């Protein structure tokens, strides 16, 4: 196990667990690596039904489509209709029964949970009548629980992103960094960049060569690759040597922003 972050958000966790009333959990994940972006430590605390939604589909490839996941692109306005339909279908029997009993507007409480920067705030802004939440492309922006009406039948809790206590493997840690869930300034930069290079050479070598404009031969190791990139983009020190840190950060940011190609880390 590895630990690249300050610690578990105990206060936020207690706040989420104490949420009442609550009828359904929406677990928000990143389509590029659904399993790596699930926090079972949180969702297992609830004895409530759960639906998985995968966001950022515009940055992902689809090698393994899962029937238990709703894939959405938050930039697509039709995604709101898909989610509302999913909720209506899920609660249809309960809504029909309550209407028969004379309740004019049955109301259900839904809570979104997920890791930091997985897209919760953007999803809420999509579902809410007006954009009221702060969105930034970095973890830890949502600070407290909020309740928003998204239709006549559904109230939605927004919650802070909460990391798992421990990351199970170095590979998972790298993936979470590349998905911009773990901050770059707390990772072993060289090790993560070397893992990322080797992953891309294995799965997306053609895309890597096309983007950077040079051939990656079988003997090219990560150090050789970053030397080549640094020379190409003139990331040089005063001594006219390649600035490896600057070069690796440039490479890492390209990967995070999906500039090289769409990916699937599973």
């Amino acid at each position: 196990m590895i630990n690249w972050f300050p610690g578990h958000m105990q206060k936020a966790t207690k706040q989420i667990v104490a949420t009442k009333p609550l009828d359904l959990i929406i677990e928000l994940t990143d389509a590029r690596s659904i399993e790596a972006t699930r926090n079972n430590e949180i969702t297992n605390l609830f004895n409530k039904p759960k639906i998985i939604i995968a966001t950022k589909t515009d940055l992902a490839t689809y090698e393994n489509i899962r029937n238990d996941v709703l894939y959405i692109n938050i930039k697509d306005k039709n995604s709101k209709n898909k989610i509302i339909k999913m909720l209506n279908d899920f609660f249809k029997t309960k809504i029909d029964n309550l209407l028969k009993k004379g309740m004019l507007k049955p109301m259900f409480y839904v809570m979104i949970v997920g890791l930091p920067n997985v897209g919760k705030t953007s999803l809420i802004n999509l579902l809410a009548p007006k954009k009221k939440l702060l969105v930034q492309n970095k973890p830890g922006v949502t600070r407290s629980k909020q309740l928003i009406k998204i239709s006549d039948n559904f109230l939605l809790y927004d919650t802070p992103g909460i990391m798992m206590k421990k990351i199970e493997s170095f590979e998972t840690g790298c993936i979470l960094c590349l998905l911009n869930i773990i901050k770059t300034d707390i990772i072993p930069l060289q090790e993560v960049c070397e893992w990322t290079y080797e992953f891309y050479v294995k799965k997306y070598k053609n895309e890597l060569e096309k983007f950077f404009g040079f051939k990656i031969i079988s003997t090219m190791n990560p150090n050789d690759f970053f030397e080549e990139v640094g020379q190409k983009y003139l990331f040089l020190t005063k001594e006219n040597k390649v600035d490896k840190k600057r070069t690796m950060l440039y490479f890492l940011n390209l990967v995070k922003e999906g500039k090289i190609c769409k990916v699937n880390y599973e």
Side-chain angles (χ1 to χ4, degrees):
M1 292 185 181
I2 59 175
N3 190 355
W4 288 347
F5 41 88
H8 197 45
M9 297 173 64
Q10 294 183 354
K11 182 178 180 181
T13 302
K14 291 180 180 179
Q15 182 187 48
I16 289 174
V17 174
T19 299
K20 292 180 181 179
L22 180 62
D23 300 292
L24 175 70
I25 301 291
I26 290 179
E27 184 179 8
L28 207 59
T29 64
D30 191 307
R32 293 168 289 179
S33 187
I34 291 172
E35 285 305 312
T37 52
R38 298 186 66 186
N39 188 347
N40 293 324
E41 293 173 4
I42 296 298
T43 57
N44 289 343
L45 294 173
F46 298 93
N47 185 24
K48 297 293 180 181
K50 177 174 60 181
I51 290 174
I52 303 173
I53 294 180
T55 65
K56 304 188 180 181
T57 56
D58 56 316
L59 300 175
T61 61
Y62 298 98
E63 298 156 21
N64 301 297
I65 296 294
R66 293 176 47 163
N67 294 327
D68 62 333
V69 175
L70 176 65
Y71 295 84
I72 65 166
N73 180 357
I74 294 176
K75 298 174 184 177
D76 180 2
K77 293 182 180 180
N78 191 46
S79 294
K80 177 176 181 177
N81 296 330
K82 290 181 181 179
I83 295 171
I84 298 298
K85 182 181 184 303
M86 175 194 69
L87 293 174
N88 281 321
D89 290 345
F90 186 88
F91 286 104
K92 185 178 186 309
T93 301
K94 288 185 177 182
I95 291 174
D96 290 345
N97 289 337
L98 290 171
L99 289 173
K100 289 177 182 178
K101 292 179 181 180
M103 184 177 291
L104 297 179
K105 289 185 178 181
M107 188 64 68
F108 298 93
Y109 292 80
V110 179
M111 182 165 64
I112 293 182
V113 298
L115 299 182
N117 204 39
V118 81
K120 296 185 305 301
T121 301
S122 295
L123 180 61
I124 295 282
N125 282 338
L126 175 71
L127 296 173
K130 294 182 180 180
K131 292 186 178 181
K132 296 181 179 180
L133 304 183
L134 176 64
V135 180
Q136 292 184 26
N137 188 27
K138 63 181 180 179
V141 173
T142 303
R143 299 299 181 185
S144 60
K145 185 172 62 180
Q146 304 179 66
L147 186 60
I148 300 166
K149 186 175 182 180
I150 60 172
S151 77
D152 288 340
N153 297 115
F154 301 108
L155 285 167
L156 192 63
Y157 293 104
D158 180 35
T159 57
I162 297 181
M163 285 294 298
M164 60 284 286
K165 292 178 182 178
K166 294 287 184 181
I167 300 173
E168 293 298 325
S169 68
F170 177 76
E171 178 179 315
T172 300
C174 290
I175 292 170
L176 292 177
C177 176
L178 300 180
L179 299 180
N180 214 27
I181 290 169
I182 294 179
K183 295 179 180 179
T184 304
D185 58 0
I186 60 173
I187 65 166
L189 178 62
Q190 182 170 336
E191 293 177 40
V192 172
C193 285
E194 288 177 354
W195 182 92
T196 305
Y197 166 74
E198 290 169 355
F199 176 86
Y200 268 72
V201 168
K202 182 179 179 180
K203 290 194 67 174
Y204 305 106
K205 182 181 176 182
N206 291 339
E207 291 85 346
L208 202 61
E209 290 178 336
K210 182 179 179 180
F211 184 88
F212 287 105
F214 59 81
K215 191 73 175 176
I216 298 175
I217 60 176
S218 59
T219 57
M220 180 176 280
N221 59 36
N223 187 64
D224 296 333
F225 172 77
F226 293 121
E227 183 75 21
E228 188 80 18
V229 172
Q231 292 286 355
K232 180 180 178 67
Y233 292 97
L234 299 179
F235 296 146
L236 307 175
T237 65
K238 292 180 180 179
E239 293 77 25
N240 208 34
K241 295 181 179 180
V242 169
D243 186 332
K244 289 292 180 65
K245 181 177 181 181
R246 185 181 173 195
T247 303
M248 288 188 292
L249 285 172
Y250 173 72
F251 172 69
L252 204 61
N253 286 331
L254 289 174
V255 173
K256 286 183 176 186
E257 295 169 9
K259 295 290 182 64
I260 296 174
C261 62
K262 294 183 179 182
V263 297
N264 187 305
Y265 293 112
E266 296 184 335

